[in-house]
Amino acid sequence: MQASTMAAADSTKMEGFWSNWKCKAMELLYWRNLKQSGLVFGSLLLLLFSLTQFSVVSVVAYLALATLSATISFRVYKSVLQAVQKTDEGHPFKAYLEVEMSLSHDQMQKYAENTQYYINSTLKELRRLFLVQDLVDSLKFAVLMWLLTYLGALFNGLTLLIMVVVSMFSMPVVYEKYQAQIDQYLDLIKTQVNSVVGKIKEKIPGAKRKAE
């Protein structure tokens, strides 16, 4: 009974954590706090641009050195300041050193189950597409892969990742500002796509789903 109660409490805590994390992510992407969003956006771009010029090992090493330089300098500064003022405030990072960072067994199991679910779902979907369970869906996937070959020829992975980051921090704000106009155009595109797909299903034998 006690173990069940503890598991339920951990599950509730985990759900609260993810909900809180999602809210913070949305606040960053919608620029609710300009300083925080600008800092995260700038840091991500700096990291990605650094990876275009240096290897991953070099970037990680430089980041670690920069962080250590900052923390060591601050630690020495606070130690000298305490010695001059003859105070005993303790370690300047004491509050962060005491923060609990370990994951419980139930939390690890929850992460493992979620990971397993996403991996299994992805494998099942890929099997469905590659083995042509639904002809139209497989054709859509083939067209997407064909378009990606051209996209890959124009941009490398890091360039695409930079574009994704820029889009993540710009598109939500643009959509929020022009939501009515964008939804109108999206509905028109969706209608045209559904019309084309419907015509393809009518002309290709075996394209209709079994349910039909």
Side-chain angles (χ1 to χ4, degrees):
M1 182 68 179
Q2 186 177 1
S4 176
T5 304
M6 291 178 63
D10 287 338
S11 177
T12 303
K13 187 183 297 184
M14 183 62 64
E15 291 177 359
F17 168 78
W18 284 115
S19 177
N20 187 40
W21 183 88
K22 183 178 179 181
C23 290
K24 289 183 177 180
M26 295 301 292
E27 289 178 357
L28 286 174
L29 297 180
Y30 280 93
W31 295 79
R32 303 305 187 204
N33 187 314
L34 291 177
K35 185 180 294 186
Q36 290 183 359
S37 296
L39 180 62
V40 174
F41 181 52
S43 300
L44 286 174
L45 283 184
L46 179 62
L47 175 62
L48 292 175
F49 279 120
S50 298
L51 289 173
T52 62
Q53 303 296 323
F54 307 100
S55 66
V56 176
V57 176
S58 296
V59 172
V60 172
Y62 281 128
L63 287 175
L65 285 173
T67 304
L68 283 171
S69 298
T71 54
I72 291 173
S73 298
F74 185 73
R75 172 71 191 277
V76 172
Y77 166 75
K78 293 295 290 184
S79 298
V80 172
L81 190 63
Q82 291 178 27
V84 172
Q85 296 179 348
K86 296 182 179 179
T87 59
D88 187 16
E89 298 178 0
H91 199 289
F93 300 115
K94 183 179 180 180
Y96 298 101
L97 291 171
E98 293 178 349
V99 173
E100 181 63 36
M101 297 183 65
S102 61
L103 294 174
S104 67
H105 174 73
D106 292 332
Q107 289 174 328
M108 290 295 295
Q109 187 175 7
K110 184 73 173 180
Y111 284 128
E113 289 175 354
N114 289 336
T115 302
Q116 182 183 18
Y117 170 77
Y118 288 121
I119 291 176
N120 289 338
S121 299
T122 301
L123 291 176
K124 289 178 181 178
E125 183 65 16
L126 289 175
R127 180 184 64 183
R128 189 182 73 86
L129 292 171
F130 280 107
L131 298 183
V132 200
Q133 180 176 344
D134 184 277
L135 181 58
V136 174
D137 287 345
S138 295
L139 288 174
K140 290 179 184 177
F141 184 65
V143 171
L144 176 61
M145 293 299 103
W146 177 70
L147 292 175
L148 286 179
T149 60
Y150 285 93
L151 195 62
L154 294 174
F155 309 103
N156 58 31
L158 280 174
T159 303
L160 290 175
L161 194 55
I162 291 172
M163 293 172 64
V164 168
V165 171
V166 173
S167 299
M168 286 174 58
F169 280 87
S170 58
M171 294 303 294
V173 179
V174 174
Y175 178 75
E176 187 178 42
K177 189 174 182 180
Y178 302 101
Q179 181 175 359
Q181 297 91 324
I182 293 175
D183 285 344
Q184 182 179 358
Y185 286 113
L186 288 178
D187 289 338
L188 290 174
I189 294 172
K190 185 177 180 180
T191 301
Q192 293 295 326
V193 171
N194 289 337
S195 176
V196 172
V197 171
K199 292 178 181 179
I200 292 175
K201 285 184 176 182
E202 292 176 357
K203 294 181 179 180
I204 299 179
K208 292 185 178 181
R209 299 179 185 272
K210 294 180 179 179
E212 297 177 351

